[in-house]
Amino acid sequence: QVQLLESGGGLVQAGGSLRLSCAASGLTFSSYAMGWFRRAPGKERKFVACINWNGGNEVYADSVKGRFRISRDNVNNTVYLQMNGLKPEDTALYYCARSNSDYVIALVSEYEYWGQGTQVTVSS
């Protein structure tokens, strides 16, 4: 059974930090790129960050560049998103996903497996 289980979301004040985790099981993890996406209330799902299969390449949305950092642990099949300097506009449901390729890619359509999401709420 394929499972991507996100955790680490919560309520934080503006300027604060959170670290999201996504534990994968039931699928091949280490050979594929992993991504984080988010959906704000009333908006479509958007790309946040992705990391290639071995962690050697990362790509970020302009809105989070310099504040968020994606990383992965291929031994424990886990991907992380360290979020610093959080802003109210970062409030969203955050999803992790596994790509169909080993290289970084920001297109939602290129991700086959998705988690259920973890809520991040940033108060002003």
Side-chain angles (χ1 to χ4, degrees):
Q1 180 182 356
V2 173
Q3 188 172 28
L4 293 172
L5 185 61
E6 301 98 337
S7 61
L11 174 63
V12 64
Q13 288 188 330
S17 298
L18 285 173
R19 189 192 194 205
L20 305 184
S21 299
C22 172
S25 60
L27 51 73
T28 301
F29 178 85
S30 60
S31 300
Y32 294 89
M34 294 294 297
W36 285 96
F37 295 78
R38 66 187 182 186
R39 188 198 303 269
K43 297 188 177 180
E44 63 182 15
R45 191 176 306 191
K46 290 189 175 180
F47 169 77
V48 174
C50 64
I51 188 167
N52 76 328
W53 70 280
N54 67 355
N57 194 15
E58 304 159 23
V59 173
Y60 298 89
D62 287 342
S63 59
V64 307
K65 204 171 293 183
R67 300 187 296 123
F68 290 11
R69 175 77 188 276
I70 189 172
S71 61
R72 68 187 297 159
D73 177 352
N74 283 349
V75 173
N76 293 302
N77 287 359
T78 303
V79 63
Y80 304 96
L81 186 68
Q82 177 66 44
M83 305 187 295
N84 300 324
L86 283 162
K87 305 175 181 179
E89 51 263 44
D90 294 318
T91 294
L93 188 61
Y94 283 72
Y95 302 88
C96 73
R98 199 211 77 175
S99 169
N100 286 327
S101 49
D102 58 0
Y103 52 87
V104 291
I105 190 162
L107 295 174
V108 171
S109 59
E110 291 297 317
Y111 287 78
E112 181 175 1
Y113 299 106
W114 294 81
Q116 295 299 307
T118 185
Q119 179 67 39
V120 172
T121 303
V122 185
S123 62
S124 56

